[in-house]
Amino acid sequence: MESCRRYVLLVVLVLFSFVRNISTSVTHYSIPEEMKEGSVVANLATDLGLDVKTLNQRKMRLDIIANKKYLDVNKETGELYIVEKIDREYICSAKSSCYLKLEVILENPVRIFNIEVEILDINDNAPQFRRDAIHLDISESTPKGERFSLSNAVDPDVGSNSVKTYHLSESEHFNIEVQTGRDGSKFAELILKKTLDREQQAVHNLILTAVDGGTPARSGTASVIVHVLDTNDNAPTFDKAIHNIKILENSPIGSLVIHLNATDLDEGSNSDIIYSYSLYTSEKTQETFNLNPSTGEITVKGMLNYEDFRIYDMEVIATDHGATSLSGQCTIKILVEDMNDNHPEISIKSFQSPVNENIELDTVIAVVSVSDKDSGDNGVVDLRIPDNMPFKLRESSDNYYELVVSEPLDREKVPEYDVTFTVTDRGSPPLSDNETMTLELLDINDNVPQFPQLFYTIRVMENNAPGALLSSLTAFDPDLHENQYLVYFILEKEIANTSMSMLFSINPENGNLYALKTFDYEIEKEFLFHIEARDSGSPPLSSNVTVHIVIVDQNDNVPVIVSPWRAHGSVVEEKIPRSTDKGSLVAKVIALDTDSVHNSRITYQFLQVTDATLFSLDQYNGEIRTMRMFSYRDPRHQRLVVVAKDNGEPALSATVTIKLSTVETVVKAYSDMTEVPLEYDIFSDLNLYLVIGLGSVSFLLLITILVTIVLKCQKPKPSKAAPPCRNSVISERNSTIADSTLVSNDAYWYSLFLAETRKGKMVVRQPVPKGSRYIVSSIPRGTGLTDTSDSAASTLQYPK
């Protein structure tokens, strides 16, 4: 054998049928055994049409099916080379042809190529006999031409390098004839060409040489020792010369296969038979089956495996115990029947994990191959995955399947899948196996941040401290990592040239909303704006929510008493007739509170009263009325202190002191009235619309007053004082009274009061006798009234 000589026989069969990414063609190579390590077989990259530069990137690897890794691929050059010396006789001891099946697997995209390397035999083994000496006992009565089986030589080499012929040393009694067995093997039969004479030669020593057909030829020898025996002329015979038997694999040890029966017509010791295997019976057969030499029973000795060995051929010899033993032979063929005793196997060729959750449909996730060593239905397998998964299996070639995406994936619903591949054969009972792979999903920014509510109403108490936390507006994003990191913004909106960002601030990280200023309910009652939550994905997604800030009123405004009017710190003086009836209106206290409705609800109470039995105060409208008529015991001056209290918590209040003087019913004239400067400050905060409305009413009233003045000026002046009239107001100078009007409504009186005082006039209101109506007089500023009696009307005078 020329060890330094390397030759490669390349046969590439292109079948032009590709199923997806798995090549169904097989690339064939032929190499001799015993090649040196590192020897190059072929350039796979060139033969398979691959780019050498991408082999490392595509993670090229070589799988050798059911054998050691004798070969490997150089990823830099794409060459297939020898890793370990290959002994064909070791890996294919019982086969005439020897192949190594390989798979070349590449990723990105997945490609699988089938490679078949034929290991060619070289003549590196010499024939050998199982025994160094072959002993034969031949009766002298054996006729010439009789044949005797000799142990055949075994040569691990195959083909022309196996045993080709036999040579026998020179002998006048024997020669050999080379025979070919059913499996093609050569064996020699010893032929008696001349009758033996034990008395002349009891033992014949022969040399049997086995020669193979290699170049140069190799040979092996064995000694053939022939013992010549006395005559025993009847040989044992079997009832059948050929037996065909079927037996199930995995039959228990000791199971009976067949009971052989041979008979010998001789008598005595010449008829006693022993059974034995012929030398033609292989050692594998002898190790698997036991032959009882006395009874001829053949039983199971070793494990029967249909996948390893299916047919056993044996030759049984029945030998008698005669002085010159004779033998008979029978041939037995044992067929092993398959049982479903091999579990199907799963091999994951490629599995892609993790993948993006937005992976396209029909994308290949994994490539799986299945196999079963059994035959028939026992070797037919079915592969399946669980039904409730968004994947499906697609058969790409024989026993190869692709796992592809069949439904859209959503990481927020299912972050990962445990895909269990289950393979089941069709035997009875069926056997199965499974393999579980975990597929992880990578997040993409496909979810918009979500607020728990679409609309937030936040109540803020007025007079809040700047920087106070109002609320925490937190959104949720089911994505992961930067796709769920949220940033919060206030969407800019201007109110009265004021930006929302000047009034409120939001923490961009946690959504905490703060007030940047102190709010006053009486100025600002509510704000409406939007807050946006934006994630950090690419591109970013966002959503917004409407925020309604409601300023809640505090009781921070003290009631202001506007009627009866008095200067700061002064006492209001009122004069009433002493003959006033029970239930007559003495005065009316009116207070205003600019707080909200609840806090501005005013109630009135007496704080001090000279005689509690004389006056009553309506707590809701502030009217002071007499509870009885005055008596002579009652003092002429009464002091009433009224407190106006709002409904807040704590309540705020204002007080007014009213000094009542009782006068007789006869009135001379109005007493001199002192003008009290009118303060306009208390009206500066009134609503503009109310002022316009009151001004319009006042204008109409003024026209009425002017007409009345003209009519009054035309009447003669009375010479005497008018007779006394209870609850009346009489002026000695009628020309100073501009107009008189009956008013029965307090609200109208208050409106008139405001309108006239704006014009710098003073307003007088007195009850009409025997009724609940009043006389209201509007008098220009500077006009004085004098009292002609103790019954003078209360007056209010305001400057312009």
Side-chain angles (χ1 to χ4, degrees):
M1 183 186 76
E2 298 179 5
S3 57
C4 20
R5 179 182 175 186
R6 176 177 65 93
Y7 57 93
V8 178
L9 300 177
L10 171 61
V11 181
V12 180
L13 300 178
V14 181
L15 302 180
F16 298 104
S17 57
F18 296 87
V19 181
R20 297 289 294 181
N21 297 323
I22 300 176
S23 175
T24 58
S25 64
V26 179
T27 304
H28 294 269
Y29 297 94
S30 296
I31 62 172
E33 62 175 327
E34 302 294 336
M35 287 183 68
K36 289 184 179 180
E37 297 176 2
S39 299
V40 177
V41 176
N43 193 307
L44 280 181
T46 302
D47 297 338
L48 300 179
L50 302 174
D51 188 357
V52 176
K53 298 179 181 178
T54 63
L55 298 183
N56 273 319
Q57 181 182 355
R58 296 182 66 184
K59 300 179 182 178
M60 182 181 187
R61 67 178 185 271
L62 185 69
D63 287 349
I64 299 180
I65 302 174
N67 277 290
K68 293 171 62 178
K69 191 168 185 178
Y70 292 102
L71 300 109
D72 203 352
V73 176
N74 187 329
K75 297 179 183 178
E76 301 297 328
T77 63
E79 293 177 337
L80 180 66
Y81 65 95
I82 304 296
V83 176
E84 182 178 342
K85 278 187 178 183
I86 303 174
D87 188 354
R88 193 203 65 79
E89 289 74 25
Y90 174 77
I91 62 176
C92 304
S93 59
K95 298 179 181 179
S96 60
S97 58
C98 184
Y99 292 90
L100 287 180
K101 294 184 177 181
L102 303 87
E103 286 183 345
V104 176
I105 302 175
L106 296 98
E107 296 182 1
N108 299 320
V110 175
R111 294 290 304 276
I112 298 177
F113 298 92
N114 295 316
I115 308 297
E116 212 173 59
V117 180
E118 182 182 8
I119 310 301
L120 301 178
D121 183 50
I122 63 173
N123 193 22
D124 59 339
N125 293 282
Q128 289 183 346
F129 290 89
R130 294 189 180 95
R131 301 174 186 175
D132 294 332
I134 303 172
H135 294 271
L136 294 177
D137 294 331
I138 302 176
S139 175
E140 62 180 352
S141 61
T142 303
K144 65 179 181 180
E146 188 70 25
R147 295 172 179 267
F148 301 93
S149 296
L150 297 176
S151 176
N152 63 314
V154 176
D155 191 337
D157 296 326
V158 296
S160 62
N161 294 325
S162 63
V163 176
K164 183 177 182 181
T165 187
Y166 292 87
H167 300 289
L168 187 65
S169 61
E170 189 173 349
S171 172
E172 64 175 330
H173 293 91
F174 299 95
N175 64 7
I176 61 172
E177 183 175 320
V178 178
Q179 301 288 339
T180 302
R182 286 183 292 273
D183 58 353
S185 62
K186 303 289 186 178
F187 63 94
E189 287 186 344
L190 186 66
I191 303 174
L192 183 63
K193 65 180 181 178
K194 183 180 179 180
T195 304
L196 298 174
D197 187 356
R198 190 191 64 82
E199 286 73 21
Q200 292 180 2
Q201 188 178 354
V203 177
H204 297 266
N205 291 314
L206 307 173
I207 300 299
L208 180 63
T209 302
V211 182
D212 63 25
T215 303
R218 291 176 178 267
S219 64
T221 61
S223 297
V224 179
I225 303 173
V226 179
H227 300 274
V228 180
L229 303 176
D230 283 339
T231 301
N232 177 23
D233 56 349
N234 288 291
T237 59
F238 289 91
D239 52 0
K240 286 179 66 176
I242 299 175
H243 294 273
N244 292 317
I245 301 170
K246 294 182 179 181
I247 186 171
L248 288 174
E249 66 172 328
N250 300 323
S251 293
I253 304 299
S255 300
L256 179 65
V257 178
I258 189 174
H259 188 180
L260 297 175
N261 182 30
T263 58
D264 193 335
L265 298 179
D266 291 335
E267 293 181 350
S269 61
N270 291 330
S271 64
D272 295 333
I273 299 174
I274 61 171
Y275 299 88
S276 64
Y277 288 118
S278 72
L279 297 177
Y280 180 76
T281 303
S282 67
E283 291 182 2
K284 174 68 175 176
T285 302
Q286 296 182 42
E287 291 172 357
T288 306
F289 298 95
N290 181 61
L291 174 61
N292 190 314
S294 301
T295 62
E297 291 181 349
I298 298 178
T299 57
V300 177
K301 180 181 179 182
M303 183 62 67
L304 298 177
N305 192 341
Y306 174 84
E307 289 71 37
D308 292 339
F309 224 83
R310 303 181 183 184
I311 301 175
Y312 293 89
D313 290 321
M314 65 179 68
E315 193 176 68
V316 177
I317 300 175
T319 308
D320 62 22
H321 285 182
T324 303
S325 62
L326 299 178
S327 63
Q329 300 175 355
C330 75
T331 302
I332 303 170
K333 182 179 240 182
I334 299 177
L335 302 175
V336 179
E337 294 184 332
D338 184 41
M339 288 182 61
N340 193 25
D341 61 338
N342 288 285
H343 286 265
E345 297 178 353
I346 301 176
S347 177
I348 307 297
K349 299 300 181 182
S350 174
F351 190 84
Q352 184 180 357
S353 178
V355 298
N356 287 333
E357 62 176 315
N358 65 339
I359 187 171
E360 294 183 358
L361 298 181
D362 285 336
T363 302
V364 177
I365 299 297
V367 177
V368 182
S369 68
V370 294
S371 61
D372 195 319
K373 294 180 180 179
D374 291 321
S375 63
D377 288 341
N378 297 331
V380 178
V381 294
D382 298 305
L383 182 66
R384 60 182 176 83
I385 59 174
D387 296 332
N388 58 343
M389 288 194 170
F391 309 103
K392 67 180 178 180
L393 287 171
R394 183 169 60 200
E395 186 172 6
S396 58
S397 63
D398 290 342
N399 295 328
Y400 279 86
Y401 295 86
E402 294 175 340
L403 180 69
V404 298
V405 180
S406 61
E407 298 176 14
L409 305 181
D410 190 346
R411 188 207 63 79
E412 287 69 38
K413 294 181 180 177
V414 182
E416 65 179 22
Y417 292 90
D418 291 328
V419 183
T420 300
F421 298 94
T422 302
V423 60
T424 307
D425 61 27
R426 298 182 184 179
S428 181
L431 300 178
S432 63
D433 192 13
N434 61 72
E435 184 83 17
T436 299
M437 304 295 289
T438 299
L439 175 64
E440 297 180 4
L441 300 183
L442 297 178
D443 182 55
I444 63 170
N445 193 24
D446 58 345
N447 287 278
V448 176
Q450 296 178 353
F451 286 92
Q453 301 172 217
L454 297 177
F455 190 91
Y456 285 87
T457 299
I458 302 173
R459 297 184 177 275
V460 180
M461 191 69 68
E462 69 171 328
N463 302 317
N464 59 291
L469 176 65
L470 304 184
S471 181
S472 181
L473 308 176
T474 304
F476 171 72
D477 193 324
D479 290 324
L480 288 180
H481 308 307
E482 67 275 2
N483 294 332
Q484 73 170 174
Y485 297 150
L486 302 183
V487 180
Y488 299 89
F489 305 92
I490 294 177
L491 296 182
E492 286 299 330
K493 178 182 179 182
E494 289 191 359
I495 297 180
N497 297 324
T498 301
S499 173
M500 285 294 106
S501 60
M502 299 176 61
L503 302 177
F504 303 96
S505 172
I506 190 167
N507 189 316
E509 296 180 355
N510 56 25
N512 288 345
L513 184 64
Y514 301 91
L516 298 181
K517 60 167 287 187
T518 300
F519 297 109
D520 188 346
Y521 173 82
E522 286 72 36
I523 299 176
E524 303 153 322
K525 292 182 172 53
E526 63 180 7
F527 300 94
L528 194 67
F529 56 91
H530 299 282
I531 288 179
E532 179 181 291
R534 182 185 304 164
D535 61 30
S536 302
S538 180
L541 301 178
S542 63
S543 65
N544 58 63
V545 67
T546 302
V547 179
H548 185 202
I549 303 294
V550 178
I551 308 302
V552 180
D553 182 48
Q554 277 188 331
N555 192 28
D556 58 345
N557 289 283
V558 178
V560 176
I561 297 177
V562 297
S563 177
W565 179 251
R566 83 283 187 207
H568 290 297
S570 63
V571 176
V572 176
E573 294 185 358
E574 297 281 354
K575 295 182 180 182
I576 61 174
R578 195 168 183 81
S579 59
T580 300
D581 291 335
K582 173 183 177 182
S584 297
L585 180 65
V586 175
K588 180 177 178 67
V589 179
I590 299 176
L592 296 179
D593 194 322
T594 57
D595 287 324
S596 65
V597 175
H598 177 78
N599 293 326
S600 64
R601 190 174 297 136
I602 306 295
T603 56
Y604 304 92
Q605 295 177 353
F606 279 129
L607 188 62
Q608 293 180 9
V609 59
T610 304
D611 188 348
T613 63
L614 185 56
F615 302 101
S616 67
L617 173 62
D618 191 305
Q619 64 175 339
Y620 298 111
N621 60 21
E623 292 181 350
I624 302 175
R625 295 182 181 273
T626 56
M627 296 176 61
R628 59 180 176 82
M629 295 186 65
F630 288 96
S631 66
Y632 66 93
R633 295 190 183 93
D634 294 325
R636 293 179 56 84
H637 301 283
Q638 302 285 336
R639 189 172 184 273
L640 306 177
V641 179
V642 178
V643 60
K645 185 184 300 182
D646 62 24
N647 198 36
E649 184 63 38
L652 301 178
S653 62
T655 59
V656 60
T657 301
I658 301 174
K659 185 177 180 182
L660 292 178
S661 300
T662 58
V663 297
E664 297 301 329
T665 56
V666 178
V667 180
K668 283 176 56 181
Y670 287 103
S671 63
D672 294 335
M673 299 182 189
T674 60
E675 293 186 3
V676 181
L678 176 65
E679 295 185 3
Y680 289 91
D681 293 343
I682 62 171
F683 305 108
S684 61
D685 293 331
L686 291 178
N687 192 292
L688 177 62
Y689 297 107
L690 178 60
V691 173
I692 294 174
L694 294 177
S696 301
V697 174
S698 301
F699 178 73
L700 296 176
L701 181 63
L702 182 60
I703 293 176
T704 305
I705 293 174
L706 291 176
V707 173
T708 306
I709 291 175
V710 172
L711 295 176
K712 290 288 186 180
C713 291
Q714 295 176 354
K715 293 181 181 180
K717 184 176 180 180
S719 59
K720 293 184 180 179
C725 180
R726 187 169 50 186
N727 297 334
S728 65
V729 177
I730 302 174
S731 174
E732 291 181 341
R733 295 175 296 170
N734 292 328
S735 60
T736 62
I737 299 179
D739 190 20
S740 296
T741 307
L742 290 178
V743 181
S744 61
N745 185 282
D746 290 334
Y748 181 76
W749 144 246
Y750 182 56
S751 299
L752 181 62
F753 167 78
L754 293 177
E756 292 301 306
T757 52
R758 287 288 187 184
K759 301 174 182 179
K761 298 178 181 181
M762 64 180 181
V763 181
V764 179
R765 181 176 72 164
Q766 286 296 326
V768 176
K770 296 182 180 180
S772 59
R773 296 177 177 268
Y774 308 95
I775 295 177
V776 178
S777 299
S778 175
I779 305 173
R781 183 174 63 87
T783 303
L785 296 177
T786 57
D787 289 337
T788 57
S789 68
D790 292 334
S791 180
S794 64
T795 61
L796 292 177
Q797 184 175 357
Y798 304 92
K800 254 184 185 176

